[in-house]
Amino acid sequence: VQLQAFGGGLVQAGGSLRLSCAASGAKVDYYAIAWFRQAPGKEREGVSCISSSNGLTYYSDSVKGRFTISRDNDKNTVYLQMNSLKPEDTAVYFCAAEAPYIISASMRHYEYGYWGQGTQVTVSS
């Protein structure tokens, strides 16, 4: 599977963005899909994931209640709707995928083998 992440940009604090992770080469609902982010000088952090088996969703405590992950099987795309953005959300955001026989859902970046390129999200105060 190949992944392409896009939708980042510059937004003021309190604003919203929607990131897209478009998959090609395979059906997106077969895979566990996750969003990660990495700010300068910091480790890559799991933000949200959607399981391959039943579509259950998971969020880090830092984004719970503000971000929503969803999957559109017809468009073969996974989205990350980000609301009430804060300056500390500024980072490069990546989407990643892994097959269900490896994981069903995970927020650990080292468990994912397929990665899209990053998209920059900058939140100004």
Side-chain angles (χ1 to χ4, degrees), residues 14 24 38 52-53 57-58 77 100 108 111:
S24 60
Q38 190 165 20
S52 57
S53 57
T57 58
Y58 303 86
T77 298
R108 293 181 286 269
E111 293 188 326

Side-chain angles (χ1 to χ4, degrees), residues 41-96:
K42 294 189 176 181
E43 292 188 358
R44 192 164 294 191
E45 171 193 16
V47 174
S48 181
C49 66
I50 184 166
S51 72
S52 57
S53 57
N54 51 21
L56 288 179
T57 58
Y58 303 86
Y59 301 91
S60 67
D61 288 342
S62 60
V63 307
K64 198 172 297 181
R66 301 187 297 122
F67 290 11
T68 303
I69 190 171
S70 62
R71 185 171 63 200
D72 186 330
N73 295 337
D74 291 338
K75 294 183 177 180
N76 218 31
T77 298
V78 171
Y79 301 100
L80 185 68
Q81 178 66 44
M82 305 186 296
N83 298 329
S84 302
L85 283 162
K86 305 175 181 179
E88 51 263 44
D89 294 319
T90 295
V92 178
Y93 284 70
F94 302 86
C95 60

Side-chain angles (χ1 to χ4, degrees), residues 4-8 18-22 35 77 79 93 95 117-119:
Q4 184 177 8
F6 55 95
R18 187 178 78 161
L19 304 184
S20 300
C21 178
W35 285 97
T77 298
Y79 301 100
Y93 284 70
C95 60
Q117 86 293 356
T119 184

